[in-house]
Amino acid sequence: MEPKSADKDLASPGSDKETSLPAWALELIGQYESGSRNQFILHGNVHDRLILPLKQPELGSLHDFLIRILMPSFDVVLNFDLGNGIRIDKGGETFTQWPAFKGQDLPRAPRPAIETLTHYFRYTANLARLGKPAPHVGCIIRDAHLLAPALPQGLNYDLNALAFLMRDWSSETLLTEHALVTFLVAENLNDLHPLLVNHPRASRIKVPLPESADLASAFRIMAPRYPTALAPFKDDHTAPAEALRGATLASIESLLKTKEHANIALAEADLSKLKKELIENDCNGLIEFIEPKKNLDALYGQEKIKTWIRQDIELWRKNDIDALPKGYLICGPVGTGKTFMVECIAGEAAVPVVKLKNFRDKWVGSTESNLEKIFRLLRALGRCYVFIDEADQTMGKRDSGSNDSGLSGRVYSMLAQEMSDSENRGKIIWVLATSRPDLVEVDLKRPGRVDVKIPIFPTTTPKEGYNLIRALCKRRGVEIDETLLGEMEAAIPDRLTPGAAEALSVKIYRLVKVKKLKPIEALAACLQDYQPPVDPKVMAFQIELAIKEASDLEFVPKELRQGTFS
């Protein structure tokens, strides 16, 4: 195909494309103007507000961006969605010259609407082929996944036919040689019919969440409208832009409207909390921010592990990422404090921890769509830890069988691909936690996805157990004399986990406050009929698994490197 002529270009004639347009728009323009693509699947942050790079920049929707920025020179721009049917956004007089148009209402139902659009596209392309004046046509299909969803295909002939027609817009020679451009807008690729998504003649263009520089520009645009809300930052919008990175412009603008209406300024001290609320809202409960209020000093023992992690964090701060792990696997028996360790690591590094929550869904395609949305957010956040608890249950299996229609295998594939993406090194560190590392797929635990495997264990000596109980009681204001270990040594449980010790410290505190016992007496009373919360055989099995997984034997206490665990 010959490159399209200048009068068919996307974007305003004479605009400074290199400086004013975002990277995704420049990629799209290059593909269209070279003649290599005329259909674009826009996915990602497609429902957000965008900066319209006009002489006087303003905020608008993606729809505004496409019409006002990318297609100002097109003669006809059509738009279709399930609610409104076909609408003429531009060039109504030109469109009505079509002989097949007889003044009737344009169809609203999907099949007749797509057939009508196809018919019109062919009509204009035939005019051009005959050497007659032909309008340059653009078409936007909003929420295309509702029109052509990624449902099980089976014998759904009507849905497949609809997808085929839309696919023809980018593959039929008559249409690709004419000045036609079509945009299929869907937030997540996994929601859209595979005949469209996987078609090699259609270009998949991701609209990303705004970067810090984008947010700073947006704040400058919004400042005149929200003078009170943005008063603390009127001279410099860098701080709120950096702090709110990962949130959508729409959610930020909504926040500013609320603040302005209440005559309240946006306080710098509140930015972290506001970011958490905005992003969790945008993600509809798919993720949770863990606020790290502790650092590695709060972690009892584990000196070798703390030293290693601090070295990694120092490399990260220096942006020396060649030796930085892409992921950690934290494994150990139930109750050994895996989640607590993640909080301490994040507090030490002073970066957000994003915990993946209920991304699995019963609806076909929804789980994959949820993951796609989560990955988009993670890439926008900048540096963060991604915490996956109970990784053996959450991360799927390579061969999931037929019990879940292959869902587990698709989850595994998506997570494996994202974890190994080299673009994420130095930005995202994955942290998997499990008491059953043997059930996590081997490929997910390999170097390049998980580089450091950290085992954590219960106490190995009575002294360790005694000091652990003392440390947890001290946090509650109950002091147990260090010198009294001798008289309690025989009663201290073997293989005491932080979880079990935490429960003991609560009971000790209660006895001290309610029955007025001395701390050592309360401890003795609690240990008199103590029963371990985890079966010793299960504990021994999980300890052995953690030892086998350790990426460095220095992480394993000498007492556990040899011997039995029963």
Side-chain angles (χ1 to χ4, degrees):
M1 178 190 297
E2 292 293 321
K4 297 186 183 296
S5 59
D7 64 343
K8 302 174 187 177
D9 282 355
L10 289 170
S12 303
S15 66
D16 186 357
K17 297 175 185 176
E18 295 301 322
T19 58
S20 63
L21 294 177
W24 66 266
L26 291 172
E27 179 186 359
L28 187 156
I29 290 168
Q31 292 183 12
Y32 176 77
E33 291 184 357
S34 69
S36 65
R37 297 288 188 278
N38 76 333
Q39 185 171 89
F40 300 93
I41 301 173
L42 301 180
H43 63 103
N45 192 34
V46 295
H47 298 306
D48 199 6
R49 303 278 278 166
L50 301 177
I51 297 172
L52 306 183
L54 303 164
K55 287 184 179 179
Q56 289 294 325
E58 58 184 80
L59 298 184
S61 66
L62 176 62
H63 192 78
D64 297 328
F65 192 99
L66 295 177
I67 294 174
R68 298 178 62 185
I69 307 302
L70 294 189
M71 295 188 290
S73 62
F74 276 58
D75 302 304
V76 175
V77 178
L78 304 172
N79 166 30
F80 175 77
D81 64 67
L82 283 181
N84 297 288
I86 297 176
R87 290 185 299 172
I88 306 170
D89 285 330
K90 182 181 178 183
E93 186 176 339
T94 302
F95 181 81
T96 56
Q97 294 172 8
W98 179 28
F101 180 76
K102 299 176 181 178
Q104 75 274 24
D105 289 338
L106 292 170
R108 298 169 65 94
R111 182 66 182 269
I114 296 304
E115 289 174 344
T116 297
L117 290 172
T118 304
H119 187 188
Y120 180 68
F121 298 159
R122 289 172 178 161
Y123 161 73
T124 59
N126 275 316
L127 286 178
R129 179 171 281 187
L130 293 171
K132 297 181 178 181
H136 304 158
V137 181
C139 182
I140 304 167
I141 307 296
R142 299 166 64 185
D143 293 313
H145 61 287
L146 300 178
L147 178 66
L151 297 174
Q153 302 313 307
L155 300 178
N156 196 335
Y157 295 122
D158 197 56
L159 180 60
N160 292 339
L162 197 69
F164 265 109
L165 276 176
M166 295 166 71
R167 193 175 74 165
D168 279 349
W169 299 347
S170 63
S171 58
E172 191 174 310
T173 303
L174 175 67
L175 301 181
T176 58
E177 290 181 347
H178 178 49
L180 168 70
V181 62
T182 57
F183 299 97
L184 312 183
V185 181
E187 184 176 14
N188 299 308
L189 289 176
N190 283 289
D191 294 338
L192 190 60
H193 199 295
L195 285 175
L196 296 169
V197 174
N198 299 326
H199 184 40
R201 295 288 300 157
S203 180
R204 298 183 291 274
I205 301 287
K206 180 186 286 186
V207 181
L209 281 159
E211 298 281 345
S212 300
D214 302 319
L215 293 180
S217 298
F219 278 124
R220 285 192 292 274
I221 295 169
M222 294 187 286
R225 277 177 282 167
Y226 311 111
T228 302
L230 288 172
F233 310 102
K234 62 181 180 180
D235 298 321
D236 185 6
H237 299 108
T238 305
E242 286 291 340
L244 295 176
R245 181 176 176 176
T248 62
L249 268 177
S251 64
I252 291 172
E253 188 175 31
S254 178
L255 168 69
L256 293 177
K257 286 179 179 178
T258 304
K259 292 283 186 183
E260 191 70 24
H261 179 73
N263 204 32
I264 298 173
L266 189 65
E268 188 166 357
D270 295 333
L271 289 177
S272 178
K273 180 183 177 184
L274 289 170
K275 174 178 181 173
K276 175 180 181 293
E277 291 174 357
L278 291 176
I279 293 178
E280 287 181 350
N281 246 359
D282 287 338
C283 276
N284 299 318
L286 297 175
I287 58 100
E288 173 189 2
F289 274 84
I290 297 176
E291 296 187 53
K293 299 176 181 177
K294 314 169 184 70
N295 59 23
L296 289 172
D297 291 334
L299 197 62
Y300 176 79
Q302 318 281 358
E303 296 306 320
K304 296 284 187 183
I305 293 170
K306 288 194 283 190
T307 298
W308 185 291
I309 291 171
R310 281 178 170 141
Q311 290 169 348
D312 284 345
I313 291 171
E314 189 58 29
L315 288 171
W316 206 5
R317 286 175 179 153
K318 293 177 178 178
N319 205 33
D320 187 353
I321 62 174
D322 289 341
L324 191 69
K326 292 176 78 172
Y328 297 106
L329 173 67
I330 301 177
C331 52
V334 174
T336 45
K338 295 180 282 294
T339 302
F340 183 78
M341 177 176 277
V342 174
E343 293 177 23
C344 293
I345 292 172
E348 188 81 18
V351 299
V353 182
V354 178
K355 181 179 181 181
L356 270 57
K357 291 181 69 180
N358 304 318
F359 63 82
R360 287 178 179 260
D361 200 301
K362 64 180 179 179
W363 304 110
V364 174
S366 291
T367 296
E368 298 93 315
S369 177
N370 289 340
L371 274 176
E372 192 177 334
K373 188 169 188 174
I374 289 169
F375 295 158
R376 187 162 62 246
L377 166 70
L378 297 178
R379 287 173 178 261
L381 278 177
R383 290 184 171 182
C384 67
Y385 289 104
V386 182
F387 178 41
I388 303 180
D389 202 4
E390 307 295 343
D392 54 294
Q393 299 294 322
T394 304
M395 301 194 70
K397 301 292 180 187
R398 180 195 288 273
D399 300 313
S400 57
S402 58
N403 291 337
D404 63 356
S405 301
L407 174 61
S408 185
R410 294 193 297 275
V411 168
Y412 159 83
S413 178
M414 290 183 72
L415 283 167
Q417 182 176 349
E418 191 68 17
M419 288 175 68
S420 60
D421 192 330
S422 58
E423 289 187 9
N424 291 334
R425 185 179 286 278
K427 299 175 184 176
I428 298 172
I429 294 181
W430 298 82
V431 185
L432 319 183
T434 177
S435 57
R436 290 296 306 271
D438 57 315
L439 298 181
V440 178
E441 287 285 343
V442 173
D443 273 3
L444 291 174
K445 298 185 291 184
R446 68 164 174 79
R449 290 183 178 133
V450 170
D451 302 289
V452 180
K453 300 174 187 176
I454 300 172
I456 52 178
F457 302 101
T459 58
T460 56
T461 66
K463 182 177 180 181
E464 279 187 6
Y466 184 71
N467 286 336
L468 176 58
I469 294 169
R470 284 184 60 249
L472 294 173
C473 285
K474 188 175 181 179
R475 291 180 188 174
R476 292 180 166 77
V478 176
E479 296 278 355
I480 297 177
D481 193 334
E482 183 179 6
T483 64
L484 298 177
L485 169 63
E487 62 184 78
M488 296 300 304
E489 188 168 356
I492 300 295
D494 291 333
R495 311 288 182 250
L496 188 65
T497 66
E502 179 76 14
L504 281 171
S505 71
V506 172
K507 291 176 70 176
I508 291 166
Y509 175 83
R510 189 174 188 279
L511 290 175
V512 168
K513 295 298 181 180
V514 175
K515 295 195 175 181
K516 309 302 181 186
L517 296 182
K518 294 178 180 179
I520 196 68
E521 293 173 342
L523 173 58
C526 289
L527 295 181
Q528 188 172 0
D529 298 315
Y530 175 80
Q531 293 231 33
V534 178
D535 186 296
K537 291 182 179 178
V538 173
M539 175 70 71
F541 174 65
Q542 292 179 349
I543 289 173
E544 192 167 359
L545 288 176
I547 293 171
K548 289 179 179 177
E549 288 290 347
S551 57
D552 194 318
L553 272 181
E554 287 292 309
F555 295 157
V556 181
K558 291 179 181 179
E559 295 86 353
L560 294 178
R561 292 181 197 175
Q562 293 179 344
T564 59
F565 312 109
S566 57

